[in-house]
Amino acid sequence: MIMTHKIKIQSIAVLFVGLILMGCGGKDEPMPVPGTTTLSLPANNTACLQGTSASGTAASVSFAWRSATNVDNYQLVIKNLNTQASETFTTKDTLYTTTLAINTPYSWTISATNVSGKTNSDSWKFYLSGAASSSYAPFTADLTSPASGTTIASNGAVSVQVTFQWAGSDPDNDIAGYSLYLDNTNATTQVISSQTASTATQTLTTGKTYYWKIVTTDKVGNTSVSTINSFRIN
């Protein structure tokens, strides 16, 4: 009788320990965020020549990229650099074809996504032309500094030196120069004309909001106009 009682106690103890071990096993490890994908086509900073549609205003473009690890879906984001409007397409493949307006510059990126998050690729640019041309307009410059919405501290000074930085590119690699437009209303005042460097410094008055943009010109006179960034000096 005593032996049977001990066996029951031992069985209960083993069951209890087993339950504890099961409880301490923890949850499944979360899925890692996706790896980074590499873009393939359309190539960066190039003119993309495609057969146009029947309307003569649009063309079919295929986008391709390398597969990434730990991916559920890919998000292809295409931005019209003239209008700054973006479209997003979701796919499980590494190839996607869509129709876009011709004679237009675009940028595109891929986001690899899963339940844990997403990882963004680099951003590439291309110019979609319905027919070959001897010269294409430059891509709109990317404004890097000052970023839009930035507040620059004057630390009590009545004026501050502000350095402007941007990045330009062209399908033909024939950029002739950049012009900086800067004022307190809508960036229509030219303060620097046709310089080759992609940086400039201006002395600006404290207590004002400024708006700036870059106009890029190539060697045959084609131009492109960037977006407008704004910043304030306090």
Side-chain angles (χ1 to χ4, degrees):
M1 190 65 142
I2 294 175
M3 182 62 69
T4 301
H5 183 64
K6 286 183 178 179
I7 291 172
K8 288 183 178 179
I9 292 175
Q10 289 175 348
S11 298
I12 292 172
V14 169
L15 177 61
F16 182 70
V17 171
L19 291 173
I20 291 176
L21 291 175
M22 290 176 62
C24 293
K27 298 180 179 178
D28 292 337
E29 289 295 324
M31 178 182 288
V33 296
T36 303
T37 184
T38 302
L39 307 184
S40 299
L41 292 173
N44 195 24
N45 294 331
T46 59
C48 178
L49 305 178
Q50 299 287 339
T52 58
S53 67
S55 67
T57 60
S60 176
V61 182
S62 293
F63 296 83
W65 56 94
R66 294 174 183 261
S67 61
T69 57
N70 306 311
V71 175
D72 287 338
N73 294 290
Y74 296 100
Q75 291 180 340
L76 165 63
V77 181
I78 307 170
K79 178 187 284 188
N80 181 319
L81 296 178
N82 286 339
T83 65
Q84 298 299 304
S86 296
E87 289 186 278
T88 301
F89 306 92
T90 300
T91 178
K92 292 185 179 296
D93 299 322
T94 56
L95 179 69
Y96 192 89
T97 300
T98 188
T99 300
L100 302 173
I102 63 172
N103 300 320
T104 303
Y106 295 92
S107 67
W108 68 289
T109 61
I110 292 293
S111 295
T113 69
N114 64 20
V115 294
S116 297
K118 68 178 181 178
T119 303
N120 298 324
S121 71
D122 293 333
S123 177
W124 280 12
K125 296 178 181 178
F126 68 96
Y127 186 88
L128 179 57
S129 175
S133 172
S134 59
S135 180
Y136 298 96
F139 293 114
T140 55
D142 295 321
L143 308 185
T144 53
S145 182
S148 200
T150 297
T151 298
I152 299 174
S154 66
N155 298 319
V158 296
S159 63
V160 175
Q161 279 199 331
V162 177
T163 298
F164 297 84
Q165 295 178 315
W166 59 93
S169 56
D170 185 288
D172 309 306
N173 294 316
D174 66 342
I175 291 176
Y178 304 99
S179 298
L180 169 63
Y181 288 74
L182 171 70
D183 55 40
N184 303 117
T185 52
N186 54 7
T188 57
T189 304
Q190 186 182 81
V191 296
I192 293 178
S193 174
S194 194
Q195 70 167 36
T196 56
S198 56
T199 183
T201 300
Q202 295 285 296
T203 301
L204 304 177
T205 304
T206 299
K208 295 183 178 182
T209 299
Y210 293 87
Y211 300 84
W212 71 289
K213 69 183 179 185
I214 293 294
V215 175
T216 308
T217 305
D218 68 15
K219 291 179 180 179
V220 298
N222 297 317
T223 62
S224 65
V225 182
S226 74
T227 57
I228 296 175
N229 274 11
S230 65
F231 65 94
R232 182 169 179 81
I233 304 175
N234 283 339

